Amino acid sequence: MIRLHDTLTRTKRDFVPADPKRITMYVCGPTVYGRAHIGNARPAVAFDTLARLIRHEFGEEALVYARNVTDVDDKIIAAAEAEGVDVPVITERYERHYLEDMGALGVRDPDIAPHATKEIGPMIAMIQALIDKGCAYQAEGHVLFNVPSDPDYGVLSRRDREAMLAGARVEVAPYKRDPADFVLWKPSGPAVVGWDSPWGRGRPGWHIECSAMIKAHLGETIDIHGGGLDLIFPHHENEIAQSRCAHDGAPLARYWVHNGFVDMGAEKMSKSLGNIVTPAELLAQGHKGETLRLALLSAHYRQPLPWTESLVAQAKATLDGLFRKAGDAEPGEADEGVLDALRDDLNTPLALSRLSAVGDPAALKASARRPRKHATSPPPTASATSSRPRA
Ligand SMILES: [Zn+2]
């Protein structure tokens, strides 16, 4: 039995999927306008590990794992303008880099990777449903979700109204009925990427993208919704509100799973603070992808992970020791003690310490199987990221 910490209830719960033959998991993916940093890699690695565990427990075909690609966004538009190129030049380049970088860390591609620009129809349909149900309204070319229409708004983040307004850094705009209302659709000028809609030419807000793509690909209620801690508010709170209203109260997810930050010194690693380290840089320095993966898994996924050179050196030493011990043994049965640690809310530090104590080289080899082969060759060049938080 897998147990998972659920952010909604703030408790660790037995993981009982609605349908064990079709388990659905959605993780908010990258906004593709820059190179991913190691903090961006943490959810990719953590949820890849969870996906592997679920497949081990329920069967390879039992999981449908979706991770979206946000390929329309104001930061993307700004990056394209700065380079003087079309938006797809930016988004295709950085999506390719993202997949290379995560692949190098042994992250398997998700089963489904919906792209926002390919899902405008479902987004427009959901926005229209929200208007029809009285949860959203049109104002000056925008469509906004009316937060007071949802009496349960705040259920995930448990923030009071003042903290929500401060945390969302919401734009004060004269056309908003309530200062907490958030954008579902916004107008695009002639020079900006946009699509025709019942409310004029425009583009979707970020939050509606996930709600609409979850519905389109996985259904109204999914088993697991994941992402970084910084997405709890406002992004996931807004996803919950939109989906619940559009689907007559059906909950969006049965388990909410959030990973902690990677820290540099006393601060969260983030592009806006300029304190980032990228997997591409680390690989170019000669570190192996499997070492970086192990470093990312050396702390429990919900805890902060301070990123230091000694963390990477320690991960390399641990990995070298494990491979030495496993030697040439053929993989046997995975060690149950290691698996039990993973089943307990993905307790990777305990799993790693048990792995180091495993006596049977075959069990060790099965439990510590190397990531895919291509994972060790460094991808070309480096630069920046896609850190998510926005209002
Ligand atoms: Zn999302």
Side-chain angles (χ1 to χ4, degrees):
M1 174 71 81
I2 297 173
R3 288 168 63 74
L4 287 176
H5 182 271
D6 172 24
T7 308
L8 189 67
T9 58
R10 306 290 197 272
T11 56
K12 201 155 47 168
R13 297 164 52 212
D14 289 348
F15 176 60
V16 184
D19 175 2
K21 291 196 173 63
R22 187 177 184 274
I23 300 168
T24 47
M25 179 163 86
Y26 182 94
V27 175
C28 297
T31 301
V32 280
Y33 71 101
R35 204 81 192 230
H37 61 67
I38 203 79
N40 302 136
R42 194 177 191 192
V45 168
F47 288 99
D48 178 69
T49 307
L50 179 58
R52 286 166 190 263
L53 178 68
I54 290 170
R55 291 195 160 105
H56 180 272
E57 300 292 303
F58 291 89
E60 191 63 29
E61 305 299 321
L63 177 69
V64 188
Y65 174 18
R67 186 184 65 204
N68 66 308
V69 177
T70 299
D71 58 355
V72 56
D73 177 85
D74 288 355
K75 286 178 185 165
I76 295 172
I77 294 168
E81 278 171 4
E83 273 194 39
V85 295
D86 290 338
V87 160
V89 174
I90 297 290
T91 55
E92 285 166 21
R93 180 200 305 157
Y94 288 109
E95 182 183 356
R96 194 173 64 244
H97 283 317
Y98 181 81
L99 294 175
E100 285 166 1
D101 292 345
M102 297 310 122
L105 302 185
V107 175
R108 273 168 63 166
D109 291 345
D111 302 296
I112 306 172
H115 288 61
T117 55
K118 305 280 190 305
E119 313 265 342
I120 301 295
M123 290 186 226
I124 288 175
M126 186 175 271
I127 293 169
Q128 188 61 55
L130 292 172
I131 294 172
D132 294 345
K133 287 169 194 280
C135 304
Y137 60 95
Q138 196 182 339
E140 296 181 21
H142 295 71
V143 181
L144 294 120
F145 187 93
N146 185 222
V147 167
S149 72
D150 179 2
D152 288 334
Y153 190 83
V155 68
L156 182 69
S157 59
R158 300 189 183 180
R159 293 185 186 212
D160 61 27
R161 192 177 155 82
E162 230 163 80
M164 282 196 283
L165 286 173
R169 297 184 299 270
V170 279
E171 229 180 300
V172 179
Y175 50 81
K176 282 188 180 181
R177 285 185 195 164
D178 185 278
D181 293 353
F182 58 89
V183 168
L184 301 172
W185 187 264
K186 59 176 135 188
S188 287
V192 178
V193 60
W195 292 264
D196 290 331
S197 82
W199 322 287
R201 189 172 172 279
R203 57 192 192 277
W206 174 37
H207 313 301
I208 194 71
E209 167 185 337
C210 291
S211 282
M213 298 199 294
I214 288 171
K215 166 75 188 307
H217 292 276
L218 301 177
E220 291 186 357
T221 301
I222 57 174
D223 288 307
I224 298 171
H225 194 317
L229 267 183
D230 51 339
L231 299 188
I232 294 174
F233 189 85
H235 184 53
H236 289 166
E237 196 74 66
N238 292 351
E239 282 187 34
I240 288 175
Q242 295 162 163
S243 293
R244 192 170 37 204
C245 179
H247 304 143
D248 301 319
L252 176 55
R254 301 171 66 249
Y255 299 81
W256 285 88
V257 180
H258 293 98
N259 65 274
F261 300 137
V262 173
D263 294 332
M264 285 291 267
E267 281 170 322
K268 172 193 167 191
M269 187 184 291
S270 81
K271 191 179 180 183
S272 55
L273 293 172
N275 60 357
I276 62 168
V277 179
T278 68
E281 288 164 350
L282 291 161
L283 293 161
Q285 288 163 18
H287 296 295
K288 288 185 171 177
E290 59 200 14
T291 305
L292 305 178
R293 182 184 179 92
L294 192 82
L296 284 168
L297 293 173
S298 61
H300 187 263
Y301 75 91
R302 288 195 285 119
Q303 298 301 318
L305 174 64
W307 191 264
T308 60
E309 279 181 22
S310 73
L311 175 80
V312 180
Q314 182 58 47
K316 181 177 186 310
T318 303
L319 208 52
D320 286 348
L322 291 171
F323 284 131
R324 236 187 343 263
K325 205 157 86 171
D328 296 330
E330 288 295 314
E333 288 296 309
D335 182 80
E336 275 300 313
V338 173
L339 286 171
D340 274 342
L342 295 175
R343 289 172 186 131
D344 183 14
D345 195 30
L346 218 59
N347 190 339
T348 53
L350 181 61
L352 286 167
S353 78
R354 287 186 178 169
L355 196 54
S356 295
V358 165
D360 172 12
L364 181 65
K365 196 128 197 177
S367 298
R369 209 165 284 164
R370 278 176 187 262
R372 291 178 302 176
K373 285 246 168 53
H374 82 264
T376 47
S377 60
T381 63
S383 83
T385 154
S386 58
S387 88
R388 279 315 274 278
R390 317 171 243 202

